[in-house]
Amino acid sequence: MSATPLPDPRTRPSDGVPDGGVPDGGVPGGVTPGTGGLVDRHGRVATDLRVSLTDRCNLRCTYCMPPEGLQWLPKVEQLTDDEVGRLVRIGVEELGIREVRFTGGEPLLRPGLVGIVAAATALAPRPEVSLTTNAIGLARVAPALAAAGLDRINVSLDTLDRERFRTLTHRDRLDDVLAGLRAARDAGLTPVKVNAVLLRGVNEDDAVPLLDFCLEHGYQLRFIEQMPLDAHHAWTRNEMVTAEDVLERLSAAHDLTADTEERGSAPAERWLVDGGPATVGVIASVTRSFCGTCDRTRLTADGQIRNCLFAREESDLRTAMREGASDAELADRWRIATLAKLPGHGIDDPSFLQPSRPMSAIGG
Ligand code: SAM
Ligand code: SF4
């Protein structure tokens, strides 16, 4: 069994954006924004919006937050459902956003989730709308989400072993997650994708069982390299399970061949399993970063625009909105925040500093 080596990320197609140049209809690096989409100084265009709906969570994944939880955002600092709807509308109508993914924290904890999804799917041009969730409670709400127009769902699941799940998440909720997965598939929220993070010495040997489980149930599995975004700053480069490690493990049980289908700005490198059509993805955020083709922009639950997961600066749309800013002014702030996006996350740079917000408060 074998896996062909990962392709060189530096030779990946730039999705229509000339190297170091300006996309069609875009804003050249350094000019004053005012119209058009979300273009940065390196010529990348953000069309994929990640919206965090809450920083709270009902699990405590060890690589994400400590067992005691975090200091949650006060309610008054959180965007209301209408404020979320307004900013998503500005993104879609004024700024060229084509995909909206709701996340968190745990987005299923947001009471207004179904209404927020319905408002997003009613926009024109209609964005693709998806959800990233730990699936606890999904069994109950999946039909309503599908009826609200949700297109797809990603579920996080790092192990199929009940005891290990409890150790990894500090909660005994594996059965709820499995029920949520089934409900998502039955509600037609397909393809259902499963995201898994492997930790050295903890769940590395879940790689093959997770793939077999996903193949059996028709879910699309993607492994994500652990990133330095944990609240307790325990991540180390030497300890993380790399994409190469994952592929080596999978290759011991399955034949993997690189999927030659155009990847565009999608972060997952995909592999056909045993000749296909089933695939497995590896998101090598750390070891094979894809910053050069990044098309993301992020809105936190408290209304801050972040141009990168690893950004150390934010743009405060909530305060501007509550002080009466017009749609045009908010759009302009968003454009300006985008211009400053750095070319890469720089994790391997000795000067790298982890952002002060953890993943759960940014929106993964
Ligand atoms: N609670 C939801 C969930 O777990 O799917 C949504 C938010 S969670 C922050 C989104 C994704 O980020 C999950 O797939 C999770 O595994 C991943 N994640 C969290 N912390 C991470 C880290 N330090 N490195 C890599 N992925 C991480
Ligand atoms: Fe919660 Fe998701 Fe973080 Fe796990 S990864 S603690 S489910 S926000």
Side-chain angles (χ1 to χ4, degrees), residues 33 48 62 89 132 149-150 152 160-161 188 221 234 249 261 275 291 300-301 318 325 347 357:
D48 182 346
T62 53
R89 177 179 57 71
T132 299
L150 187 73
R152 286 186 297 99
L160 291 162
D161 180 277
L221 177 63
R249 280 183 176 269
E261 204 178 289
C291 302
T300 64
R318 184 196 69 220
I347 291 174
R357 275 189 201 254

Side-chain angles (χ1 to χ4, degrees), residues 267-308:
E269 303 185 55
R270 293 204 309 185
W271 307 83
L272 295 170
V273 182
D274 299 328
T279 59
V280 63
V282 181
I283 303 181
S285 330
V286 177
T287 60
R288 320 263 313 171
S289 88
F290 32 85
C291 302
T293 57
C294 178
D295 63 355
R296 300 205 178 149
T297 180
R298 293 169 192 275
L299 175 65
T300 64
D302 56 341
Q304 312 297 305
I305 292 296
R306 295 177 64 89
N307 58 28
C308 173

Side-chain angles (χ1 to χ4, degrees), residues 231-283:
H232 33 303
H233 293 220
W235 181 93
T236 65
R237 179 76 155 80
N238 294 341
E239 280 300 300
M240 62 168 282
V241 178
T242 65
E244 294 289 355
D245 297 335
V246 173
L247 290 168
E248 200 181 311
R249 280 183 176 269
L250 298 180
S251 301
H254 292 280
D255 251 333
L256 303 183
T257 42
D259 185 356
T260 51
E261 204 178 289
E262 178 59 67
R263 178 179 169 203
S265 58
E269 303 185 55
R270 293 204 309 185
W271 307 83
L272 295 170
V273 182
D274 299 328
T279 59
V280 63
V282 181
I283 303 181

Side-chain angles (χ1 to χ4, degrees), residues 21-356:
V22 179
D24 289 348
V27 184
V31 306
T32 313
T35 55
L38 295 170
V39 188
D40 70 38
R41 288 203 175 87
H42 306 278
R44 294 166 298 186
V45 187
T47 55
D48 182 346
L49 169 61
R50 304 280 150 130
V51 182
S52 172
L53 292 179
T54 177
D55 59 336
R56 291 167 190 254
C57 192
N58 40 15
L59 295 186
R60 298 285 184 270
C61 304
T62 53
Y63 53 82
C64 185
M65 61 169 84
E68 66 276 15
L70 295 166
Q71 179 134 28
W72 312 122
L73 281 172
K75 186 139 195 268
V76 64
E77 288 181 19
Q78 256 189 56
L79 297 182
T80 64
D81 294 0
D82 285 349
E83 287 172 333
V84 172
R86 180 176 176 201
L87 292 178
V88 171
R89 177 179 57 71
I90 291 170
V92 170
E93 291 181 352
E94 312 278 334
L95 296 169
I97 293 298
R98 296 288 167 264
E99 287 181 60
V100 180
R101 174 172 292 277
F102 294 108
T103 177
E106 177 41 52
L108 292 179
L109 294 179
R110 176 99 184 196
L113 174 64
V114 172
I116 290 171
V117 167
T121 60
L123 292 170
R126 162 77 154 86
E128 189 175 283
V129 181
S130 56
L131 184 74
T132 299
T133 172
N134 64 26
I136 291 176
L138 182 60
R140 192 175 30 81
V141 77
L145 286 169
L150 187 73
D151 296 302
R152 286 186 297 99
I153 211 149
N154 287 9
V155 169
S156 305
L157 176 63
D158 304 324
T159 179
L160 291 162
D161 180 277
R162 186 168 171 181
E163 192 47 37
R164 200 175 276 178
F165 184 95
R166 202 183 54 74
T167 308
L168 249 165
T169 67
H170 294 269
R171 301 286 186 273
D172 187 11
R173 307 297 295 269
L174 176 62
D175 289 346
D176 301 66
V177 179
L178 299 180
L181 274 167
R182 283 193 297 274
R185 191 189 51 201
D186 294 349
L189 296 169
T190 51
V192 176
K193 293 186 182 170
V194 171
N195 292 345
V197 175
L198 296 183
L199 306 179
R200 192 166 301 290
V202 178
N203 64 337
E204 284 167 292
D205 53 7
D206 274 293
V208 172
L210 278 168
L211 178 55
D212 291 341
F213 167 81
C214 289
L215 292 174
E216 184 188 340
H217 294 275
Y219 309 138
Q220 281 184 14
L221 177 63
R222 293 121 42 95
F223 291 95
I224 308 176
E225 281 182 345
Q226 186 192 3
M227 292 178 276
L229 287 169
D230 53 318
H232 33 303
H233 293 220
W235 181 93
T236 65
R237 179 76 155 80
N238 294 341
E239 280 300 300
M240 62 168 282
V241 178
T242 65
E244 294 289 355
D245 297 335
V246 173
L247 290 168
E248 200 181 311
R249 280 183 176 269
L250 298 180
S251 301
H254 292 280
D255 251 333
L256 303 183
T257 42
D259 185 356
T260 51
E261 204 178 289
E262 178 59 67
R263 178 179 169 203
S265 58
E269 303 185 55
R270 293 204 309 185
W271 307 83
L272 295 170
V273 182
D274 299 328
T279 59
V280 63
V282 181
I283 303 181
S285 330
V286 177
T287 60
R288 320 263 313 171
S289 88
F290 32 85
C291 302
T293 57
C294 178
D295 63 355
R296 300 205 178 149
T297 180
R298 293 169 192 275
L299 175 65
T300 64
D302 56 341
Q304 312 297 305
I305 292 296
R306 295 177 64 89
N307 58 28
C308 173
L309 261 180
F310 294 92
R312 300 189 54 78
E313 285 175 12
E314 301 180 335
S315 178
D316 181 6
L317 294 196
R318 184 196 69 220
T319 303
M321 182 161 50
R322 290 183 182 173
E323 286 175 351
S326 66
D327 286 3
E329 285 163 346
L330 292 169
D332 232 20
R333 281 174 179 262
W334 204 330
R335 289 187 190 99
I336 291 166
T338 307
L339 273 176
K341 180 162 166 160
L342 293 175
H345 57 46
I347 291 174
D348 282 333
D349 192 302
S351 64
F352 173 77
L353 281 177
Q354 187 170 331
S356 47

